[in-house]
Structure formats: C-alpha cells, structure tokens
Amino acid sequence: MRPYVIVFGNEKGGTGKSTVALHVTVCLLYEGMKVGTIDIDARQGTLTRYLEQRQHNASLPMPIHKAVFKSENDNRVQAQQEEKNKFEEAMQQLSDRDFIIIDTPGNDTYLSQLAHSYADTLITPLNESFVDMDVLVRVTGGDMRTMRPSVYAEMVWNQRKNRAIRRQKPIDWIVIRNRITTLYNKNRKDIGVVLEALSKRIGFRLGTGFCERVIFKELFVSGMTLLDLERANVQLSLSHVAARQELRDLINFMHLPGM
Ligand SMILES: Nc1ncnc2c1ncn2[C@@H]1O[C@H](COP(=O)(O)OP(=O)(O)OP(=O)(O)O)[C@@H](O)[C@H]1O
Ligand SMILES: [Mg+2]
C-alpha cells in the first residue's frame, strides 16, 4: 500500500493552505497515523518553520518533514528534471508513511503542478470573496450566470487527466471556505450560490471550512495547534471547541482510508 497523499493547493496566496495543512497533519498524528509532510513552498517555508517551532517541544508528535526547493538552474528543462528528481526522492523517503501532506505555494510552479498530479485528495481553501473565487472561475457579467473555469481549475483538470493516463484514481477535490466571518451578508450568499453551481460543473466537493479565529494565528510561534492545547489540559474556550469541531468535520468529510 502506498501512502495516501493530501495536497493543499490554490494559486491564490494567503488563503490558509499552510495553516490547514498543519492542523490536518497534527490531527492525523493524534489518530496514530504515520505522517510525512513535504513543503514545496520551501522558500517561504511557512509549514517548515511551523514544524521547526514545534520541534522545540519534545512532547508534541511530529511528522517526518521534507522541504523541496525550486531549482536555481537557468535551463528550464534541466531545472524541471532536477525538481522532479528531488520531489520524487522526498516521496520515496516517505513511502513508509500512512499519509503524505504536501503544502504548495500560492502561485503556479512546475513543482506545484507535479505535486497536484500525486494528490489523492486536493484541498483548496479560499476566503469568502470574489477575488479569491477568481482563481477557480472567471465570473463575467453582473448576473453571475456566465462562468468559465480559470487557470487553476484548468491545471487541476490537466493533472486529473495525467492521473487517468497513469491509471490512478481520480483526485478527490475538496474546496473549503476559510476565515469565514460570522456576519451574514449578501456577498456570502452570492458566493455560496456560485460555489454550489461550480462544484457540479468543475467537479469538486464543497466542505464547510473554518471561521476566522485568532487561535489559528497566535499558536504559530509555539508551533502548536489547538489539538495540542487540548492534550496539554489547557482549558479550551468555546471558540477553540468550535474550531476543533471544524477540523473534525473536515477530516470526516475527506473519507480518508483507515479513519
Ligand atoms: N481560520 C483562520 N482564522 C484566522 N486567521 C487565519 C485562518 N486561517 C489562516 N489564517 C491566517 O491567514 C494568514 C495566511 O494563512 P496561511 O499562511 O496558512 O495561507 P497560505 O495559503 O499558506 O499562504 P501562501 O499562499 O502565502 O502560502 C496567516 O496569517 C494565518 O495565520
Ligand atoms: Mg503557505
């Protein structure tokens, strides 16, 4: 059995890929799973730095982590070959894991495309704004009826084709909203309508996602997640309990093997 691969991707920056990737990693570790993580956004290195912070606390469970950097070779063909080799080497080194979690950058790179082609599950977090939606779909006209898949949706489509050629299972693509505010407004309603319509058209499942919560920001320095707080017997606030439930809901929604 090869490891089950979960990729966090979205060509838009700052939507919560690294944050959610870390939380899913820690959740799987507490479920007793062997987890490997790969940061292909190694230059920015958010996931790598989060895990470095985490390492200072020996009581916290850790994945085996690999950072894969972009090649500095000016020759495009050689650079891609080098990146492919480094990526496949990292995958190989993690081949005894139950799960491999891959965090990708918020832009289109060769490494990111390669990682997407390995995804059993692809999670795309997006903020509730039409600016973020633009990476999935181009909405033209005020009536929101005229839509066409954007470059990112097309890239995912191409990787799905690549997997079909390699006779691999289709990617289970899940889009989740992140940093949801509690205010109800027309923007949210409009986005909900577009996402629902889109999910059928471009083939993703729409998960519930995460509300805007300070806890997701403030734990970065300690490398902890709210699941670690719970284990350390820290009194959880109502907001923490709700956040933990959101994470649980996402894990259940993913239908992961062995869970
Ligand atoms: N649910 C949330 N509530 C509050 N803040 C959040 C939430 N999710 C993420 N953030 C914050 O949003 C910012 C961007 O998150 P993150 O770095 O995870 O995004 P990203 O998609 O990985 O970004 P990039 O594309 O640059 O890699 C960070 O400051 C993070 O702490
Ligand atoms: Mg990131």
Side-chain angles (χ1 to χ4, degrees), residues 17-19 41 44 46-47 103-105:
K17 297 177 288 295
S18 304
T19 305
D41 192 9
Q44 177 174 272
T46 308
L47 183 64
D103 188 25
T104 69

Side-chain angles (χ1 to χ4, degrees), residues 1 14 41 45 67 76 84 155-156 159 171 181 201 206 241:
M1 288 292 286
D41 192 9
R76 193 161 146 264
K84 188 167 190 281
M155 192 273 271
V156 175
Q159 300 317 325
I171 302 174
T181 54
R201 189 154 147 195
L206 194 55
V241 173

Side-chain angles (χ1 to χ4, degrees), residues 3-245:
Y4 190 92
V5 181
I6 307 171
V7 172
F8 287 80
N10 183 343
E11 275 175 26
K12 175 85 174 57
T15 59
K17 297 177 288 295
S18 304
T19 305
V20 183
L22 178 80
H23 281 78
V24 168
T25 299
V26 174
C27 190
L28 292 174
L29 286 169
Y30 278 124
E31 290 292 328
M33 298 293 170
K34 289 187 285 182
V35 186
T37 44
I38 303 182
D39 190 352
I40 60 162
D41 192 9
R43 204 183 123 128
Q44 177 174 272
T46 308
L47 183 64
T48 304
R49 283 197 294 115
Y50 214 132
L51 290 169
E52 275 167 11
Q53 300 295 83
R54 191 174 172 81
Q55 221 156 16
H56 296 309
N57 186 338
S59 66
L60 300 176
M62 289 290 293
I64 298 182
H65 183 67
K66 306 280 169 197
V68 176
F69 285 85
K70 268 183 88 166
S71 163
E72 304 216 323
N73 195 323
D74 290 334
N75 180 304
R76 193 161 146 264
V77 177
Q78 286 172 6
Q80 291 189 351
Q81 189 58 51
E82 197 187 304
E83 289 174 0
K84 188 167 190 281
N85 294 345
K86 282 192 295 185
F87 179 78
E88 286 177 352
E89 189 188 334
M91 292 291 285
Q92 184 56 39
Q93 287 167 343
L94 298 174
S95 59
D96 70 330
R97 305 284 91 190
D98 299 312
F99 289 94
I100 298 178
I101 309 277
I102 308 177
D103 188 25
T104 69
N107 52 14
D108 182 33
T109 66
Y110 171 74
L111 265 176
S112 183
Q113 291 180 16
L114 186 63
H116 278 72
S117 79
Y118 278 83
D120 293 306
T121 292
L122 167 64
I123 307 271
T124 300
L126 44 89
N127 295 329
E128 275 189 315
S129 97
F130 276 103
V131 179
D132 273 27
M133 295 263 295
D134 207 48
V135 301
L136 282 182
V137 69
R138 292 282 143 88
V139 182
T140 46
D143 62 356
M144 291 185 297
R145 285 201 196 108
T146 324
M147 299 188 264
R148 64 184 169 80
S150 66
V151 277
Y152 181 67
E154 272 172 15
M155 192 273 271
V156 175
W157 180 251
N158 284 332
Q159 300 317 325
R160 282 177 156 164
K161 275 197 301 200
N162 287 341
R163 284 175 69 87
I165 292 166
R166 296 202 301 250
R167 294 179 183 278
Q168 288 173 316
K169 247 182 351 103
I171 302 174
D172 182 17
W173 187 10
I174 297 174
V175 172
I176 57 168
R177 273 168 276 198
N178 188 26
R179 308 190 69 167
I180 302 166
T181 54
T182 43
L183 295 172
Y184 182 81
N185 55 35
K186 184 171 179 308
N187 175 61
R188 164 172 301 169
K189 186 165 162 261
D190 289 348
I191 285 183
V193 170
V194 174
L195 279 176
E196 281 293 343
L198 215 57
S199 70
K200 295 182 188 75
R201 189 154 147 195
I202 57 179
F204 59 77
R205 299 195 290 135
L206 194 55
T208 47
F210 295 88
C211 287
E212 169 78 30
R213 296 182 200 280
V214 185
I215 186 81
F216 288 118
K217 293 190 227 269
E218 66 188 9
L219 288 177
F220 183 79
V221 248
S222 62
M224 289 174 88
T225 67
L226 48 103
L227 299 176
D228 304 304
L229 292 184
E230 188 185 16
R231 307 285 156 146
N233 287 327
V234 175
Q235 183 81 40
L236 294 191
S237 69
L238 269 182
S239 167
H240 295 173
V241 173
R244 187 186 56 189
Q245 191 53 45

